[in-house]
Amino acid sequence: MNDLAYAIQRLSNDEFWLYFIGACLAAMASLYFYFRFLWRYRIMQDTPTSLIRSAAQGYNEFEGSAKMLPGEPIIAPLTKLHCVWYQYKVEEKQSHYVRGRSRTSWHLYESGVSDGVFALQGRTGKAIVDPDDAEVVHSVSDSWYGSTPYPSAGPRGFSSRAFAIGRRYRYSEKRIHEGDGLYVLGDFKSFTEVELPSENESLAAILSSWKRDPQALLNRFDENRDGNIDSDEWEKAVLIAKSQLTEASVKQTQARIDNVIEKPSDSRKPFLISTQDEAELTRNFQYKSYASLFLFFALGAAALCLFNVRF
C-alpha cells in the first residue's frame, strides 16, 4: 500500500488528473450500462410473449423462426451466403510510430449492416421484421484475414486466422440464417394492403385475356365445334374463370403478411432481435448489470483512493 501511495504521489499533475478523470468517467459509464442492462432485463420480464394472430397493437415480444421473404435475396457481402440479416466490417492494418517505435493497429476500412426485411414465423402466423436500429444478437460470427479489401476466400479457406501473419486486412461478419430461432421485442403493427381490384374487375380481366386469343378460346370452350361460343359455352367459361379467381384469392390470402414488427416509437423501450431464447437473454442482461455495478463501485473506489492519497 505504501508503494502504491508513493507511486501516486510521484505522478505529475497532468498524469494524476488524467488517471483520476479517466476513473471517474469509466465509473459513470459503468453506472450507465448498469441501468441500461437492468432496464432490458426488467422490461423483458414484464412483457408476456404474444401470439402473432392475437397480439395487440403496440409493444410486444414474440418467438419463432427466421424466414426469408419472396423477392431479392439478402446476401452477406463477404461470405456471399444467403441469410436474413448480416453485419460486416473490414479493417486494414496500418503502421505508425510512437516514441520512435513502429506500432501496428487495425483501422476501419469499410462496414455495413443489412437493412432488408425478413419474416418471423410464429406458431399462429407470420410477421415482417424491419431490423433498422435494432439491437441484434446474431447466431453466426466469422473473422478471418486476407490481402485484399474484399476477401477471395471465406473464413474456412486459406485466409483463416491461422494464416493471419502478413495479411493486411481483417474481415468480420455476423449473420442470422433462415430457420434460426428468434426472439423479437418491438412494436407490433397491422397494416392494410394496397387496395386490390374487386372480384368483378378481376373476372373481367381474365375473360378479356382469353378473348384476345380467339382460336385458343374456341379450342377450349367450343364443345359443339360450330366455330362460335354460344351462351351455354360462355357461361361455362365464366364459371371456370370464377374458379380460377377463387383459387388465386385463397393463395394470395395465405401468402399475404399483414403485420410488421419494428422499432418502438418510444425511444426508451429497446428493440431486440436475438437468436438466444428469452431465458438466456434475460440471464445475460442480469449478469451484465451485476458486472457493470461491480465496476462502478471498483472504479469509484479507485478514483476516491487516488484523490485521498494525493490530497
Side-chain angles (χ1 to χ4, degrees):
M1 186 66 181
N2 290 334
D3 291 340
L4 178 61
Y6 178 71
I8 294 174
Q9 290 290 352
R10 291 198 60 186
L11 291 173
S12 67
N13 285 336
D14 290 343
E15 289 176 328
F16 168 78
W17 287 113
L18 177 65
Y19 289 133
F20 178 75
I21 294 174
C24 290
L25 291 176
M28 296 305 297
S30 299
L31 186 62
Y32 164 78
F33 281 108
Y34 164 70
F35 285 113
R36 177 185 174 90
F37 293 136
L38 184 64
W39 172 243
R40 278 152 179 71
Y41 167 75
R42 287 186 172 175
I43 203 167
M44 289 177 65
Q45 290 284 80
D46 295 339
T47 305
T49 303
S50 301
L51 298 176
I52 291 175
R53 181 184 297 172
S54 57
Q57 303 293 297
Y59 199 63
N60 287 277
E61 70 174 27
F62 302 92
E63 292 180 340
S65 59
K67 296 293 181 184
M68 291 184 182
L69 290 172
E72 185 177 352
I74 298 174
I75 301 175
L78 301 183
T79 58
K80 307 302 181 185
L81 294 175
H82 287 235
C83 58
V84 300
W85 178 89
Y86 65 79
Q87 184 179 43
Y88 76 95
K89 179 172 62 175
V90 178
E91 296 169 288
E92 183 180 14
K93 184 188 293 184
Q94 295 182 359
S95 299
H96 55 278
Y97 286 91
V98 177
R99 297 178 181 178
R101 294 185 178 182
S102 177
R103 305 284 186 182
T104 59
S105 57
W106 294 101
H107 294 264
L108 182 65
Y109 180 85
E110 184 179 310
S111 65
V113 62
S114 166
D115 59 0
V117 298
F118 56 92
L120 174 70
Q121 176 68 66
R123 286 185 296 165
T124 61
K126 284 184 180 180
I128 293 173
V129 179
D130 183 354
D132 282 355
D133 298 322
E135 296 178 40
V136 180
V137 179
H138 50 274
S139 61
V140 179
S141 179
D142 289 319
S143 181
W144 70 107
Y145 298 81
S147 302
T148 58
Y150 300 99
S152 57
R156 294 171 183 82
F158 291 105
S159 300
S160 64
R161 186 179 295 273
F163 296 88
I165 298 175
R167 305 290 181 171
R168 185 178 175 184
Y169 294 93
R170 179 168 64 186
Y171 319 112
S172 302
E173 190 173 84
K174 303 171 183 177
R175 299 182 303 277
I176 296 177
H177 290 162
E178 184 174 31
D180 285 346
L182 282 186
Y183 168 88
V184 182
L185 179 66
D187 261 5
F188 178 80
K189 296 179 181 178
S190 297
F191 58 90
T192 304
E193 294 286 335
V194 177
E195 187 175 352
L196 299 173
S198 66
E199 182 177 350
N200 289 337
E201 291 173 335
S202 299
L203 181 61
I206 293 175
L207 295 174
S208 296
S209 68
W210 289 352
K211 286 182 177 180
R212 284 195 289 270
D213 190 349
Q215 188 58 49
L217 186 66
L218 287 172
N219 293 339
R220 186 174 182 182
F221 297 109
D222 185 14
E223 295 180 349
N224 57 17
R225 303 303 176 188
D226 63 353
N228 293 298
I229 300 294
D230 58 33
S231 59
D232 291 337
E233 292 166 342
W234 182 247
E235 185 176 349
K236 184 177 180 180
V238 171
L239 290 175
I240 292 176
K242 285 184 176 180
S243 176
Q244 290 184 4
L245 185 62
T246 301
E247 291 177 4
S249 178
V250 170
K251 290 180 180 179
Q252 187 180 54
T253 300
Q254 291 174 342
R256 192 174 63 216
I257 304 177
D258 296 325
N259 310 299
V260 62
I261 307 171
E262 59 185 11
K263 179 182 178 181
S265 54
D266 185 349
S267 60
R268 295 173 299 174
K269 294 181 177 179
F271 180 27
L272 301 175
I273 300 173
S274 173
T275 55
Q276 298 175 352
D277 60 28
E278 181 182 7
E280 184 177 3
L281 195 59
T282 52
R283 186 166 57 249
N284 287 342
F285 281 137
Q286 188 177 31
Y287 291 158
K288 288 178 180 178
S289 68
Y290 291 158
S292 298
L293 187 62
F294 171 78
L295 284 175
F296 167 71
F297 284 116
L299 291 166
L304 186 61
C305 177
L306 280 170
F307 189 84
N308 287 338
V309 171
R310 185 76 173 194
F311 299 102

